[in-house]
Amino acid sequence: MLPRVVVSGLGIISPVGSGKTAFWQAITGGKSGVRRITRFDTTDFKTRIAAEVPDFDPEAYIDKKEVRRMDRYTQFAVAATRMALEDAGIGPGSVDPDRVGVILGCGIGGMETFEDQARVIVTRGPNRVSPFFVPMMISNMAAGQIAILHKFYGPNSTVVTACASSNNAIGESLRLLQRGEADVVLSGGTEAAVTPLAVAGFCQMKAMSTRNDDPAGASRPFDAERDGFVIGEGSAILVLERLEHAVARGANIYAELIGYGQSCDGYHITAPDPEGAGAAKAMARALEDAGIKPEEVSYINAHGTSTPMNDKVETMAIKKVFGASAYRIPVSSTKSMTGHLLGAAGGIEAGVCVLSITHGVIPPTINYENPDPECDLDFVPNKQRAAGVEITLSNGLGFGGHNATVIFRRYN
């Protein structure tokens, strides 16, 4: 029997609130984090809205000198990690640093730094490019900085599978802990891509909502009038721990991580398999890995981006896997409130799954007003629902056809 792995800490920096309490109150209260973009001039952009993290002060978490050497995506991860470690009761000397790993998901990395320094070389020449450009930009640096700051010498890596990155990172962390290569792994994801070039790129793909006059109503997963996703930013870090290690140190246990499945559509660079075959394989493999039947799942946190094709295909995939049970299991997309955090989405949504088990509440899909005949499941429209949540499943689906599913269970 493989060793059991539990969640013993949680830290969140998000568009709807930072810290697990503020985040959960917003998510269950149906609060949207989508607003007009403030970080750059959007005059010439088709989409002028995003889910930015408001009022983020990195110096509240990080030394001022170090802040200047970190891209915003790294600052988010370091801040969320500090929260998670405090929540888990892990401080200096309390665990063996050789047995603590960091495995994060990140789809893009230091996009803001990349754009800033591209402007520098064009306007001021190559000799004015910052010597910190490369270490600030590369997508593995958030995991590296966390290890440097906390002196964690265990396995350290970053998974880059677009919007499935965090789910893959959490799943790979599960495997690492099951193999006994660490006692504790900090996992989840981080992203900060609300930048001119990234937003322009998604606009040109026609992937984003243009509901600029109604920011809070723009992200509407599974609604018949959805018109694209809303980009978001932030970070969520989970403290994953071998059960015996968590029990030995008297840790508070939120939930158990029991399953992980992944697949690739092998179909198209951006479009999902139109039959949902790849997403269905990831869910089925996660259920098999967890050793549970589909009907045992209490709640599905859908990838649910609010793009016309994604929501339709994910609905098909859920039906393939869950059969008649698909209509009885509540499904919601919290991207309706947080926006789409790209590589960090799975981290935030894993946090939702864990807190749903903890509080016995299923968060809503807000802005669900017009039923779509092709999306006909129970999407928990607009209001939270009290429920006995025992097992939660979370999907992450990314460009390139990457699919990853993780499953959590109430700890007994």
Side-chain angles (χ1 to χ4, degrees):
M1 183 176 178
L2 291 171
R4 297 170 67 184
V5 173
V6 297
V7 181
S8 58
L10 181 61
I12 295 178
I13 301 290
S14 93
V16 297
S18 295
K20 63 180 181 182
T21 301
F23 172 76
W24 187 241
Q25 287 175 347
I27 287 294
T28 54
K31 175 185 174 184
S32 173
V34 182
R35 309 168 190 87
R36 292 189 178 278
I37 292 172
T38 64
R39 296 187 59 77
F40 59 91
D41 181 1
T42 61
T43 300
D44 296 327
F45 287 73
K46 297 181 181 72
T47 292
R48 297 186 289 277
I49 55 176
E52 297 176 337
V53 174
D55 304 321
F56 177 68
D57 178 11
E59 292 182 21
Y61 308 94
I62 310 163
D63 176 79
K64 185 175 182 177
K65 180 180 177 183
E66 296 299 324
V67 166
R68 292 196 296 268
R69 298 177 177 179
M70 295 181 188
D71 186 272
R72 184 172 170 89
Y73 94 100
T74 299
Q75 295 170 3
F76 286 159
V78 170
T81 296
R82 180 170 168 177
M83 291 180 184
L85 289 171
E86 290 176 357
D87 190 42
I90 294 177
S94 65
V95 293
D96 179 355
D98 282 340
R99 300 283 298 168
V100 180
V102 185
I103 312 293
L104 298 189
C106 183
I108 295 181
M111 193 68 179
E112 190 169 68
T113 297
F114 179 88
E115 293 184 32
D116 287 345
Q117 295 302 305
R119 282 190 286 270
V120 168
I121 194 170
V122 170
T123 59
R124 302 169 66 187
N127 294 326
R128 301 305 297 270
V129 170
S130 169
F132 294 105
F133 165 52
V134 172
M136 288 175 68
M137 176 200 67
I138 53 180
S139 56
N140 62 309
M141 192 50 65
Q145 283 281 16
I146 290 168
I148 292 166
L149 292 171
H150 296 280
K151 306 301 180 188
F152 293 147
Y153 307 119
N156 192 294
S157 68
T158 298
V159 180
V160 182
T161 50
C163 303
S165 297
S166 289
N167 274 17
N168 279 126
I170 291 168
E172 296 306 314
S173 299
L174 172 65
R175 298 287 183 254
L176 191 151
L177 288 160
Q178 288 174 333
R179 291 196 301 266
E181 296 180 35
D183 294 324
V184 177
V185 176
L186 302 171
S187 191
T190 187
E191 202 80 89
V194 185
T195 67
L197 188 56
V199 172
F202 285 120
C203 282
Q204 290 303 96
M205 291 175 60
K206 303 185 187 311
M208 301 180 76
S209 172
T210 55
R211 205 179 289 263
N212 296 308
D213 295 334
D214 180 22
S219 182
R220 41 198 323 112
F222 305 107
D223 184 273
E225 296 188 6
R226 62 191 184 277
D227 72 330
F229 79 88
V230 175
I231 193 170
E233 62 174 6
S235 177
I237 302 295
L238 282 69
V239 178
L240 303 177
E241 189 166 0
R242 287 164 64 94
L243 174 60
E244 65 269 29
H245 188 270
V247 170
R249 68 180 189 85
N252 174 51
I253 295 174
Y254 285 94
E256 184 174 358
L257 175 58
I258 60 171
Y260 168 48
Q262 59 175 325
S263 71
C264 187
D265 287 353
Y267 173 72
H268 190 269
I269 57 172
T270 55
D273 179 324
E275 300 300 322
K281 287 175 185 173
M283 284 186 272
R285 289 168 182 172
L287 290 166
E288 182 180 3
D289 186 51
I292 62 171
K293 300 175 182 176
E295 57 267 28
E296 292 182 78
V297 173
S298 310
Y299 164 57
I300 298 172
N301 187 288
H303 189 61
T305 58
S306 186
T307 57
M309 183 59 77
N310 176 88
D311 295 358
K312 172 186 170 182
V313 168
E314 188 174 11
T315 301
M316 294 169 62
I318 291 170
K319 291 178 184 178
K320 283 179 187 289
V321 175
F322 289 88
S325 297
Y327 293 93
R328 297 195 296 269
I329 299 172
V331 180
S332 71
S333 171
T334 43
K335 288 184 179 71
S336 58
M337 295 167 275
T338 65
H340 188 356
L341 275 66
L342 309 180
I348 289 278
E349 289 154 20
V352 170
C353 286
V354 167
L355 292 171
S356 180
I357 291 171
T358 301
H359 295 284
V361 174
I362 295 172
T365 304
I366 70 166
N367 302 318
Y368 186 87
E369 298 169 343
N370 310 286
D372 180 346
E374 295 185 303
C375 300
D376 56 352
L377 302 179
D378 174 10
F379 293 114
V380 195
N382 303 312
K383 291 184 179 179
Q384 62 167 280
R385 184 181 302 169
V389 183
E390 296 294 325
I391 296 177
T392 60
L393 179 150
S394 179
N395 284 332
L397 315 175
F399 285 171
H402 303 292
N403 309 295
T405 297
V406 293
I407 300 177
F408 298 90
R409 178 169 62 193
R410 180 181 300 280
Y411 169 65
N412 293 304

